[in-house]
């Protein structure tokens, strides 16, 4: 018989042994291997440690924890830590029993529980889902376990959390699809408002950057007071927690000066062993240093700190900060409803990730309920690799003439980069006309129903647009004449783009009409020459 109970000091060695068996020497939290660190965690009021014990033998066959102080003060937010089952205890339902017991122990103390499940297998994801947790994100390459491994983020709400949730978050378009999936997974209506033309904070560079030393702590603390009109970035640490807590958590600050006067600061934590970082605070005198502080931190993480993964939790009501992060290489990876308590309401949070290492999502093992979100994040990461080439194509193709720089980036982010091998047939007569391509390189040969060439499509020209507008299926055959690449839009993605960004839609429709007129004129001239 398996009994679940709170851990005590005598369980420390058995717990450490289970982690060593499960993860070898590569586990990203070395404190689980250290006997003294484990004792402190077990005795702490901020951590709940449970073990699964076999009643007949007294053997400890599983363990799980809840970290009760992971948010800002009074956030009522907890992280359900790693769940480990000894090989001798597998197949007895111990994982499910530990998760059930954790929820029962802490549900009266929490509003929000989160768990970062391993993506190398579905075991922990399945257990989380069975006990009321819902998939809200995928954290790419977050863990260092030999190779880098991703985490499927799940959330569960308790008590009055959702009653206190602030409605109608304001989001940039790139976040909206993720937010919609996460809210629906949590049985909430998607009430988000899309900011049609988001603007980042100003691009100002005239600042001197300094890392905070001990003697600057009182200066920064005085600066921080009254400098936060409304918080946009949230984390487990705050400057006013004290210098000791900052040092213990490896918290640091970059300070921005202008003409010798401090005007802003960004707080972050670096885990050198795990090669990860997290932004937990940003304060400023005005808007001017915010963009530069973010970009400077990203640069240092890439070039000096050797960081592979940098994350930040940004308010779902701060589109200016969301856009600033997006322009500095961050992508939305998770959307967590009602995660933090601020003023008198609970705010939704967007977890954005800057991935500074190569992404390869082929090894993902995602439990079925979380696949739509995982696919969305995976697609965004793959697009990020292709984005510079897509943006360049948008800048040169007549179909996109007149778009602003921000609009160009949005259109490029809505497309896929497609490779066109020589000889490939893109469509035949009667195939559905559900895709539009803008040729980046290479050449496409167009043949009629009699297999005669009637024209070619080259770089910067669009293919499939006439049929997709006027007919449900194609009337010609398109074959790749020479190897190249194309921007690929599905009909659905274009409709979504026009729906969310009517300002872009108007320009595309105008350009599309001009391009169609040009093509029809060329076709008439071609037919005239043939008659002569």
């Amino acid at each position: 018989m398996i009994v679940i109970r709170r851990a005590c000091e005598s369980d420390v060695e058995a717990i450490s042994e289970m982690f060593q068996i499960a993860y070898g020497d590569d586990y990203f939290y070395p404190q689980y291997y250290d006997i003294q660190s484990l004792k402190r965690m077990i005795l702490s009021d901020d951590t709940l440690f449970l073990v699964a014990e076999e009643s007949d033998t007294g053997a400890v066959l599983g363990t799980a924890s809840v970290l009760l102080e992971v948010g800002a003060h009074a956030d009522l937010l907890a992280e359900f830590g790693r769940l480990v089952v000894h090989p001798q205890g597998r197949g007895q339902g111990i994982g499910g029993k530990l998760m059930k017991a954790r929820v029962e122990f802490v549900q009266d103390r929490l509003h929000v529980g989160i768990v970062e499940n391993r993506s190398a297998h579905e075991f922990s994801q399945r257990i989380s889902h069975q006990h009321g947790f819902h998939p809200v994100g995928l954290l790419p390459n977050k863990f260092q376990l030999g190779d880098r491994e991703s985490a499927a983020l799940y959330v569960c709400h308790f008590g009055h959390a959702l009653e206190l949730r602030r409605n109608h978050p304001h989001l940039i378009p790139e976040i909206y699809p993720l937010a919609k999936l996460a809210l629906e997974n949590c049985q909430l209506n998607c009430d988000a408002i899309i900011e049609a033309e988001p603007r980042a904070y100003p691009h100002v560079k005239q600042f001197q950057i300094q890392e905070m030393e001990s003697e600057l702590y009182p200066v920064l603390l005085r600066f921080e007071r009254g400098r936060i009109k409304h918080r946009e970035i949230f984390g487990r640490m705050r400057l006013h927690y004290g210098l000791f807590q900052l040092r213990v958590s490896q918290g640091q600050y970059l300070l921005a000066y202008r003409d010798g006067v401090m005007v802003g600061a960004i707080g972050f934590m670096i885990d050198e062993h795990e090669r990860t970082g997290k932004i937990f605070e940003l304060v400023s005198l005005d808007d001017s240093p915010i963009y530069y502080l973010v970009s400077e931190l990203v640069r240092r993480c890439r070039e000096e700190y050797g960081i592979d993964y940098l994350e930040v939790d940004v308010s779902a009501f701060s589109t200016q900060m969301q856009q600033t992060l997006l322009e500095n290489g961050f992508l939305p990876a998770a959307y967590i409803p009602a995660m933090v308590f601020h003023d008198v309401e609970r705010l939704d949070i967007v977890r954005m990730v800057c991935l500074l290492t190569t992404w390869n999502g082929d090894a993902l093992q995602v439990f079925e309920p979380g696949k739509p979100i995982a696919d969305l994040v995976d697609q965004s990461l793959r697009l990020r690799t292709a984005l510079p080439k897509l943006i360049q194509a948008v800048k040169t193709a007549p179909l996109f003439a007149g778009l602003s720089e921000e609009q160009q980036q949005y259109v490029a982010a809505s497309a896929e980069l497609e490779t066109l091998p020589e000889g490939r047939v893109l469509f035949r007569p009667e195939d559905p006309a559900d895709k539009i391509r803008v040729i980046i390189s290479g050449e496409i040969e167009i043949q009629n129903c009699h297999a005669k060439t009637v024209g070619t499509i080259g770089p910067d020209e669009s293919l499939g647009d006439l049929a997709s507008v006027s007919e449900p299926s194609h009337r010609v055959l398109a074959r790749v004449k020479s190897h190249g690449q194309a921007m690929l839009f599905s009909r659905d993605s274009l409709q979504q783009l026009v729906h969310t960004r009517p300002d872009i839609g108007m320009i595309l429709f105008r350009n599309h009409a001009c391009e169609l007129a040009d093509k029809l004129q060329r076709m008439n001239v071609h037919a005239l020459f043939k008659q002569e």
Side-chain angles (χ1 to χ4, degrees):
M1 179 179 177
I2 301 298
V3 177
I4 307 297
R5 60 171 176 80
R6 296 193 73 147
C8 57
E9 286 189 66
S10 61
D11 299 316
V12 167
E13 292 187 3
I15 292 173
S16 180
E17 180 186 1
M18 276 189 289
F19 276 92
Q20 289 174 331
I21 292 173
Y23 299 107
D25 297 328
D26 296 322
Y27 193 48
F28 40 89
Y29 293 130
Q31 61 265 38
Y32 284 92
Y33 294 169
D34 182 72
I35 300 299
Q36 294 304 317
S37 295
L38 268 177
K39 283 184 179 179
R40 286 193 294 270
M41 292 172 66
I42 288 173
L43 296 174
S44 171
D45 292 333
D46 297 337
T47 305
L48 169 70
F49 244 108
L50 300 179
V51 294
E53 181 183 75
E54 190 176 48
S55 58
D56 294 339
T57 64
V60 175
L61 298 179
T63 184
S65 60
V66 181
L67 311 178
L68 296 166
E69 292 294 335
V70 297
H73 181 63
D75 271 358
L76 301 179
L77 169 70
E79 181 178 343
F80 283 61
R82 192 65 56 221
L83 187 156
V84 178
V85 176
H86 195 283
Q88 296 178 1
R90 291 172 186 168
Q92 301 183 49
I94 290 176
K97 291 177 181 178
L98 282 167
M99 176 60 88
K100 181 173 183 289
R102 282 195 291 183
V103 172
E104 292 174 348
F105 265 100
V106 302
Q107 61 185 352
D108 293 336
R109 299 175 59 179
L110 299 181
H111 275 175
V112 182
I114 59 176
V115 55
E116 296 178 354
N117 298 293
R118 293 186 64 186
S119 64
H121 50 71
E122 297 183 12
F123 175 71
S124 59
Q125 301 170 54
R126 189 183 299 272
I127 289 176
S128 295
H129 190 262
Q130 290 171 346
H131 290 84
F133 286 75
H134 307 290
V136 294
L138 179 78
L139 308 180
N141 288 6
K142 180 168 184 178
F143 300 143
Q144 183 71 46
L145 287 167
D147 296 328
R148 299 208 71 88
E149 186 179 307
S150 303
L153 187 66
Y154 279 59
V155 65
C156 185
H157 295 94
F158 304 94
H160 300 291
L162 296 180
E163 296 175 35
L164 295 172
R165 176 180 175 263
R166 182 178 174 183
N167 296 325
H168 304 297
H170 289 246
L171 305 172
I172 61 175
E174 290 79 3
I175 293 174
Y176 178 80
L178 178 65
K180 185 175 186 296
L181 286 174
L183 288 165
E184 290 174 351
N185 285 347
C186 295
Q187 283 80 56
L188 295 169
N189 293 325
C190 182
D191 56 349
I193 298 172
I194 301 174
E195 187 75 31
E197 297 185 46
R199 294 291 182 266
Y201 280 106
H203 296 223
V204 182
K205 298 183 179 180
Q206 292 82 12
F207 300 100
Q208 299 79 47
I209 299 296
Q210 182 177 349
E211 294 187 7
M212 189 184 76
E213 304 292 344
S214 297
E215 60 270 17
L216 292 175
Y217 174 74
V219 179
L220 180 55
L221 188 60
R222 286 195 297 270
F223 172 85
E224 186 198 42
R225 292 173 183 167
R227 298 301 182 191
I228 303 181
K229 298 177 182 177
H230 60 281
R231 291 192 68 190
E232 296 181 299
I233 287 176
F234 294 85
R236 61 176 297 182
M237 296 299 300
R238 292 286 299 278
L239 180 64
H240 66 251
Y241 279 16
L243 186 59
F244 175 75
Q245 286 92 333
L246 286 171
R247 285 174 172 169
V248 169
S249 65
Q250 298 177 303
Q252 306 175 49
Y253 279 81
L254 293 181
L255 313 179
Y257 288 84
R258 182 173 52 213
D259 300 327
V261 178
M262 187 187 301
V263 292
I266 187 168
F268 60 100
M269 294 181 291
I270 296 295
D271 186 331
E272 295 180 357
H273 174 78
E274 184 64 8
R275 298 172 65 88
T276 61
K278 183 176 181 70
I279 301 173
F280 61 82
E281 187 170 34
L282 196 154
V283 292
S284 63
L285 183 65
D286 53 41
D287 290 350
S288 61
I290 293 175
Y291 196 102
Y292 188 72
L293 281 167
V294 173
S295 61
E296 178 64 15
L297 177 58
V298 171
R299 186 194 68 80
R300 293 191 181 208
C301 285
R302 178 186 293 111
E303 299 177 8
E304 300 178 18
Y305 305 148
I307 297 305
D308 292 334
Y309 172 98
L310 180 64
E311 72 176 25
V312 57
D313 290 339
V314 59
S315 169
F317 297 84
S318 302
T319 55
Q320 221 174 351
M321 183 62 77
Q322 296 164 20
Q323 183 67 24
T324 296
L325 292 165
L326 185 76
E327 292 183 13
N328 279 282
F330 287 82
L331 292 173
Y335 189 91
I336 311 163
M339 178 173 163
V340 299
F341 197 81
H342 184 59
D343 293 333
V344 295
E345 297 174 298
R346 299 199 70 90
L347 304 184
D348 294 0
I349 290 297
V350 185
R351 181 161 295 179
M352 300 186 71
V353 170
C354 183
L355 195 61
L356 301 174
T357 186
T358 303
W359 166 246
N360 183 0
D362 296 338
L364 287 175
Q365 297 291 325
V366 181
F367 186 43
E368 189 64 35
K371 282 185 177 179
I373 283 181
D375 290 343
L376 190 63
V377 175
D378 175 61
Q379 181 182 2
S380 297
L381 289 163
R382 294 181 188 276
L383 176 62
R384 174 67 65 175
T385 304
L387 196 57
K389 186 171 291 188
L390 292 172
I391 290 175
Q392 185 59 38
V394 171
K395 289 180 178 179
T396 58
L399 181 61
F400 308 120
L403 293 176
S404 68
E405 183 177 348
E406 181 275 326
Q407 290 171 329
Q408 290 173 353
Q409 291 183 346
Y410 188 80
V411 170
S414 303
E416 297 178 39
L417 183 63
E418 182 183 34
T419 299
L420 304 175
E422 184 175 337
R424 176 185 168 192
V425 174
L426 300 180
F427 52 78
R428 292 181 169 85
E430 306 304 325
D431 282 352
D434 56 358
K435 295 180 178 66
I436 294 178
R437 293 173 171 88
V438 176
I439 307 305
I440 297 174
S441 61
E443 197 172 40
I444 311 300
E445 182 182 37
I446 307 300
Q447 298 179 351
N448 62 18
C449 58
H450 302 295
K452 292 185 178 181
T453 299
V454 295
T456 57
I457 301 293
D460 294 335
E461 293 186 296
S462 54
L463 173 67
D465 49 341
L466 179 59
S468 66
V469 170
S470 61
E471 301 176 11
S473 59
H474 292 286
R475 299 178 62 182
V476 296
L477 180 144
R479 188 191 310 273
V480 180
K481 186 176 180 181
S482 60
H483 178 86
Q485 290 183 315
M487 293 183 70
L488 177 64
F489 297 88
S490 69
R491 178 184 286 173
D492 290 343
S493 67
L494 273 179
Q495 289 177 343
Q496 178 70 14
L497 186 153
V498 172
H499 174 72
T500 57
R501 294 296 301 269
D503 57 317
I504 295 176
M506 290 180 63
I507 296 174
L508 294 185
F509 284 138
R510 181 196 67 198
N511 293 341
H512 187 239
C514 294
E515 191 170 2
L516 285 179
D518 181 63
K519 284 182 178 179
L520 290 172
Q521 186 177 16
R522 285 160 52 191
M523 290 172 63
N524 289 335
V525 170
H526 179 74
L528 181 62
F529 276 118
K530 287 194 69 176
Q531 290 175 2
E532 293 178 349

